[in-house]
Amino acid sequence: MKVSIIGGTGPQGKGLALRLAQAGVSVILGSRDAEKAQIAAQELVATLKEKGHDADITGLSMEEATKASDDLVILSVPYSGHDATLTALAPFLEGKTLVDIVVPLAPGNPKAVAMPPAGSVTESAQILLGDSINVVGALHNVSAITLNDLSRPINCDILVCGNDLEAKKRVMALCEKMGTQAYNAGLAESARCIEALTPILIRLNISKDVPFSHAGIRICPPEHAH
């Protein structure tokens, strides 16, 4: 399995690359600067080598990385560059599934969101790309620091939404390779709620009144459940 991460040189992208490569997934980092992606890939391979893992991580331009994926292309870019990046990549996404993890944090205020007219970033991506390309929203509520800290398991569940069930199942399976639980949270419109949870988590995690940081969302079954 080859999975591409567009924006793979950022903290979230690198953390996902580490977790996926550690689980045996081949990862391609995509960036506007192919050389930067190659350098980042080499650094991540070295990091995992130190921990006893032989990782398959390579770096390419974002266009070449998109073309090289088997199916899943993860978009991990700042919200300000979301639409322009997708517009550039649209010709290469035919026949693939876009996994949109972008959250529309308000400019200058990570404790709030500025939702796009479509209702959510996930829905915006689906409208921009059209119905022929499946868009799945996922991994919105996971801290980049948590992803990069391989000494600990991922401490939260993953809420996955989108309009195509089979595409969601493939994304859920990928998330579960990283040792976490993924749940089908409904159609793409559910992203309005899921994306909006992130600034609430940020607010809690930086609060002096809360005795922890880098918390995530967890679905808690009743204690008597088997």
Side-chain angles (χ1 to χ4, degrees), residues 27-31 34-39 41-42 57-61 65:
V27 178
I28 307 159
L29 304 182
S31 172
E35 184 178 359
K36 183 179 179 181
Q38 292 166 1
I39 292 170
Q42 293 166 1
I57 307 175
T58 54
L60 296 170
S61 69

Side-chain angles (χ1 to χ4, degrees), residues 15-164:
L16 283 171
L18 286 171
R19 293 283 181 174
L20 290 170
Q22 182 179 242
V25 177
S26 295
V27 178
I28 307 159
L29 304 182
S31 172
R32 289 190 298 269
D33 184 338
E35 184 178 359
K36 183 179 179 181
Q38 292 166 1
I39 292 170
Q42 293 166 1
E43 291 172 348
L44 296 179
V45 168
T47 295
L48 287 170
K49 186 73 171 178
E50 291 174 359
K51 299 181 181 298
H53 297 282
D54 290 323
D56 180 10
I57 307 175
T58 54
L60 296 170
S61 69
M62 63 181 191
E63 294 86 359
E64 292 301 317
T66 302
K67 288 192 286 185
S69 73
D70 291 337
D71 173 34
L72 301 181
V73 178
I74 300 173
L75 185 63
S76 176
V77 298
Y79 176 48
S80 59
H82 177 272
D83 288 3
T85 301
L86 275 191
T87 299
L89 296 181
F92 312 109
L93 284 166
E94 289 293 338
K96 302 182 189 292
T97 298
L98 179 78
V99 186
D100 203 322
I101 74 171
V102 177
V103 174
L105 296 177
N109 182 12
K111 295 182 290 184
V113 285
M115 286 300 196
S120 68
V121 176
T122 301
E123 291 169 283
S124 292
Q126 188 67 80
I127 292 169
L128 191 154
L129 294 174
D131 292 338
S132 64
I133 298 171
N134 291 322
V135 175
V136 176
L139 295 157
H140 298 104
N141 311 135
V142 188
S143 161
I145 290 176
T146 294
L147 289 172
N148 281 278
D149 183 1
L150 298 182
S151 69
R152 302 172 186 271
I154 295 174
N155 64 337
C156 59
D157 297 328
I158 310 298
L159 301 177
V160 178
C161 62
N163 296 334
D164 186 273

Side-chain angles (χ1 to χ4, degrees), residues 205-221:
N205 286 329
I206 64 177
S207 171
K208 294 178 180 178
D209 295 327
V210 178
F212 51 76
S213 60
H214 316 306
I217 297 296
R218 178 154 286 168
I219 305 301
C220 299

